[in-house]
Amino acid sequence: MYRFLLTPRWWGINLFVVLAIPFCVFMGTWQLGRFEDRVQSHEQAEKAPDPSTRAAEPLDALLPVDKVTSGRPAIATGTYADQFLVPGRKLDDRQGFYVLNMLRTDSGKALPVVRGWLPGSATDTRVPAAPTGEVTVTGDLQASENTHSDGVDVRGGLPSGQVGMISAATLVNLVPYDVYDAWVTLPEAEAGGTGGAMKPVPAAAPEGSGLDLKAFQNLGYTGEWFVFAAFVLFMWFRLVRREAEAERDIALGLVPEEPAAPATADASEGAGPAAEAPDTAEGAPKDAPEDPSSPDYDVASTPVR
């Protein structure tokens, strides 16, 4: 009854099922592993001490920025150069902007330093001037932002002196010197009251270290892949059962025969008026009496009177 499984059509169906189910299981297991990694990193982050409470270290000793060094206090010495404003940043549920200055270090590279946050519009608000001369800053280290970071503006078209993303890839196109692939945020207002009107920007947790929306997306994708695998298996069983039932009905003679085709219109027309046409002349009935006045014809078609 199941010999149809060896037909070419079913070979294709079986091959698809054999490949689809392991693929769905693999993808579901991978997504589950991603979710478990995020849970584990979240638990480790909760058990670990606050990075900002650890002793400050030189900037170069903490690079590159990862989940361990993110948020750690970093020390850098240099002079402030170019200044940029980063609009569209919220703090305490208020709309405002960051004040970002480039700190030129002795290495020749510049470190982006977020000196603070100000409410209002980046176009109309007056910004406190940065300290002059050589300064030593201690700020919480942060990785460069990307398109998925909170508050990032990737639309472009910002006025001169404004940037939508704190990233080395963005800033290196705006300044004539190299830029560190990291930035720091000052935990306190600047000494001397120069930046006293600005609020410190708290350091953000590194990406992938908490149970954020992406973690639960991984969990949802896990369920979807396993559902796909179950659906493929269910449809295969359903198709096999339907095909087997059809084969059984044919073997038992339960499939009704197709009715005979009705007679064609041409055949019915052939038995109609043409078949019933009178043998006599047109308009004369077959059994009508002969007209006495009409001449008779002999064999030679000569009228005889």
Side-chain angles (χ1 to χ4, degrees):
M1 181 182 297
Y2 294 98
R3 293 180 179 178
F4 61 85
L5 293 174
L6 301 179
T7 59
R9 181 172 70 91
W10 275 95
W11 267 110
I13 297 175
N14 295 335
L15 180 61
F16 171 78
V17 173
V18 169
L19 296 178
I21 292 179
F23 177 76
C24 292
V25 173
F26 169 77
M27 292 300 298
T29 305
W30 180 73
Q31 290 288 352
L32 182 60
R34 293 292 302 271
F35 173 75
E36 292 176 346
D37 291 341
R38 291 181 181 273
V39 172
Q40 185 178 3
S41 62
H42 175 68
E43 293 176 349
Q44 293 176 352
E46 288 185 340
K47 295 178 181 179
D50 188 358
S52 61
T53 60
R54 303 183 64 175
E57 296 185 23
L59 174 65
D60 294 332
L62 300 176
L63 297 178
V65 185
D66 54 21
K67 293 181 180 180
V68 177
T69 60
S70 180
R72 293 275 300 274
I75 301 176
T77 301
T79 56
Y80 282 121
D82 297 274
Q83 177 173 281
F84 300 96
L85 305 181
V86 188
R89 300 305 175 101
K90 287 185 177 181
L91 185 63
D92 298 333
D93 295 330
R94 298 177 63 189
Q95 194 71 24
F97 60 94
Y98 292 167
V99 179
L100 174 69
N101 285 83
M102 308 299 292
L103 183 69
R104 295 288 303 272
T105 63
D106 296 337
S107 64
K109 285 187 176 182
L111 174 66
V113 177
V114 174
R115 295 168 48 220
W117 173 90
L118 286 173
S121 172
T123 305
D124 303 329
T125 306
R126 185 177 179 181
V127 179
T132 59
E134 187 177 76
V135 295
T136 299
V137 299
T138 301
D140 296 333
L141 188 63
Q142 301 279 267
S144 292
E145 294 181 335
N146 54 55
T147 55
H148 302 290
S149 301
D150 294 337
V152 168
D153 185 359
V154 296
R155 295 173 299 176
L158 294 175
S160 177
Q162 297 185 19
V163 294
M165 180 168 56
I166 308 175
S167 170
T170 302
L171 295 170
V172 75
N173 297 320
L174 303 177
V175 294
Y177 39 80
D178 292 335
V179 180
Y180 280 105
D181 190 16
W183 58 282
V184 298
T185 174
L186 300 183
E188 298 178 357
E190 295 170 345
T194 304
M198 295 186 294
K199 291 186 177 181
V201 177
E207 292 187 1
S209 61
L211 294 179
D212 52 5
L213 179 60
K214 292 183 179 180
F216 292 101
Q217 285 179 344
N218 293 135
L219 186 61
Y221 294 151
T222 299
E224 288 182 359
W225 282 114
F226 286 127
V227 168
F228 289 159
F231 178 76
V232 171
L233 188 61
F234 166 76
M235 290 301 300
W236 183 81
F237 275 113
R238 184 176 180 181
L239 291 175
V240 170
R241 181 179 178 182
R242 186 176 64 178
E243 190 81 8
E245 290 177 351
E247 293 286 342
R248 182 191 61 187
D249 292 344
I250 294 176
L252 296 177
L254 300 178
V255 179
E257 296 182 358
E258 295 183 359
T264 61
D266 295 340
S268 60
E269 291 177 359
E276 298 176 358
D279 296 333
T280 58
E282 182 180 358
K286 183 177 181 181
D287 298 332
E290 295 182 358
D291 185 1
S293 61
S294 61
D296 295 332
Y297 292 84
D298 59 6
V299 177
S301 299
T302 303
V304 180
R305 300 261 178 202

